[in-house]
Amino acid sequence: MLEQTVQIVSNARDTDSYFRLVLRAPQIAPLIQPGQFSHIRVPTLKDALLRRPFSIFQVEGDTFSILYKTIGKGTDALARMGPGEELSVIAPLGHGFTVPKRGGETPLLVAGGYGMAAMYLLAQRSPQKGIVFVGGRKRVDILCEKEFLALGWDVRATTEDGSHGEKGLVTQPLLAEIGNRKSEIGNRKLFACGPTGLLKAVGKIAEEFNVPAELSMDEHMCCGVGVCLTCVIPVKVDDGWEYQRTCTEGPVFDSRQIVWAEGK
Ligand SMILES: Cc1cc2nc3c(=O)[nH]c(=O)nc-3n(C[C@H](O)[C@H](O)[C@H](O)COP(=O)(O)OP(=O)(O)OC[C@H]3O[C@@H](n4cnc5c(N)ncnc54)[C@H](O)[C@@H]3O)c2cc1C
Ligand code: FES
């Protein structure tokens, strides 16, 4: 993990309110593992003290990129920055996904919205190509489909309004796939990133069909480096449960470890 001032290579609109930010970070880029994140200080933000966490999307040469949605003051300020400007970044952070071994399980990835960003490196570095189930409210929420297709992955898109792919929730085609190929279950593994409701649904499917699953739990974070305890979640351990930090012990956890909050 390094704290560095890095330069923006590009910061362009992807679709609607989603942007791709490419940063030149020669010392950070080679260290990045799938599912890890970066903690970025936006210097043009009035209250610039608090960093914002973003999954690392792609790594190319001495650069890495993030794919972000503008939803508030930090991401709005970030979207107004341009090439040549500098940002302070701490990365790579957190415990990421376990990359499948060659000849091992076939990965089934499940992503909601910007959750796709956390999945790309896993798909790229997995020796087995699998299926990526991507869901969103509407067409513009289905991100980087082309990139996954270019990797040779099977992409199954779902939108709640039916404007792209199958109409409905992303768990529908996932359930159909698992249900139709029960004989292959022993050789499959689920990986998911997205809203809590989606993660909980994937966790339930994993339990019901006895498939291993790794879930990226993106909680609100302050320090991002294990000090403030803002990001803790209850996690099962041998003799009960304990709070663990999603920024350091996570964000990726084995689904069997997670204690879900009632009604969440
Ligand atoms: C490990 C991790 C990885 C993430 N990866 C990505 C990514 O790849 N792309 C991306 O677009 N976003 C990602 N996020 C979410 C991102 O950090 C927030 O959207 C961002 O911090 C919002 O900053 P803001 O100042 O624009 O919003 P604020 O003005 O701080 O908040 C605006 C609204 O967004 C809500 N919000 C703030 N942070 C989060 C959060 N972590 N999760 C859900 N809602 C939040 C607030 O409650 C508020 O309602 C990730 C979060 C975590 C913890
Ligand atoms: S965000 Fe501070 S401990 Fe995790």
Side-chain angles (χ1 to χ4, degrees):
M1 179 249 282
L2 296 169
E3 179 175 353
Q4 293 205 322
T5 299
V6 301
Q7 206 174 54
I8 298 178
V9 177
S10 61
N11 187 26
R13 190 182 293 275
D14 193 67
T15 58
D16 197 43
S17 51
Y18 293 93
F19 287 72
R20 285 181 195 223
L21 171 71
V22 182
L23 298 169
R24 189 167 313 287
Q27 284 163 293
I28 292 173
L31 306 176
I32 295 167
Q33 299 298 320
Q36 289 190 300
F37 67 97
S38 55
H39 215 20
I40 296 182
R41 176 172 290 145
V42 186
T44 49
L45 185 61
K46 204 172 145 218
D47 172 21
L49 203 62
L50 275 187
R51 293 171 182 271
R52 299 314 195 254
F54 300 98
S55 301
I56 293 166
F57 171 42
Q58 292 179 319
V59 178
E60 273 176 29
D62 62 357
T63 68
F64 78 86
S65 62
I66 64 163
L67 189 54
Y68 66 98
K69 182 173 186 176
T70 50
I71 61 159
K73 53 186 182 172
T75 44
D76 282 346
L78 186 58
R80 286 194 293 273
M81 295 188 72
E85 289 188 85
E86 290 184 334
L87 290 166
S88 165
V89 168
I90 306 179
L93 289 171
H95 172 260
F97 293 114
T98 314
V99 179
K101 291 195 168 58
R102 187 169 298 283
E105 67 271 13
T106 303
L108 302 182
L109 314 188
V110 193
Y114 70 71
M116 276 295 255
M119 295 294 182
Y120 182 82
L121 283 179
L122 177 63
Q124 190 185 39
R125 295 186 187 177
S126 169
Q128 282 80 243
K129 298 186 202 315
I131 307 173
V132 54
F133 298 88
V134 51
R137 291 217 177 100
K138 43 192 188 333
R139 172 76 189 93
V140 290
D141 299 313
I142 305 299
L143 304 174
C144 48
E145 223 180 338
K146 270 191 288 184
E147 283 82 348
F148 282 83
L149 289 169
L151 291 177
W153 279 59
D154 179 355
V155 180
R156 315 253 176 107
T158 355
T159 49
E160 286 172 39
D161 69 357
S163 53
H164 185 66
E166 188 179 325
K167 184 172 181 182
L169 297 175
V170 67
T171 42
Q172 288 166 206
L174 172 67
L175 268 174
E177 174 66 28
I178 290 182
N180 289 340
R181 294 178 197 268
K182 284 202 178 123
S183 60
E184 292 175 29
I185 272 177
N187 195 30
R188 292 182 150 199
K189 181 165 174 182
L190 296 168
F191 299 86
C193 185
T196 307
L198 164 69
L199 298 178
K200 192 173 179 181
V202 173
K204 270 192 171 168
I205 293 170
E207 195 181 337
E208 187 185 335
F209 291 92
N210 197 21
V211 197
E214 291 188 7
L215 310 178
S216 181
M217 306 294 289
D218 292 353
E219 295 292 312
H220 285 229
M221 291 181 181
C222 276
C223 74
V225 292
V227 177
C228 72
L229 306 183
T230 311
C231 65
V232 295
I233 57 165
V235 167
K236 287 176 203 157
V237 288
D238 290 343
D239 51 352
W241 66 273
E242 65 182 24
Y243 282 115
Q244 290 191 6
R245 297 160 297 184
T246 55
C247 68
T248 44
E249 282 84 30
V252 176
F253 292 88
D254 183 315
S255 66
R256 288 165 296 197
Q257 285 183 280
I258 295 164
V259 181
W260 297 102
E262 283 302 317
K264 234 182 157 186

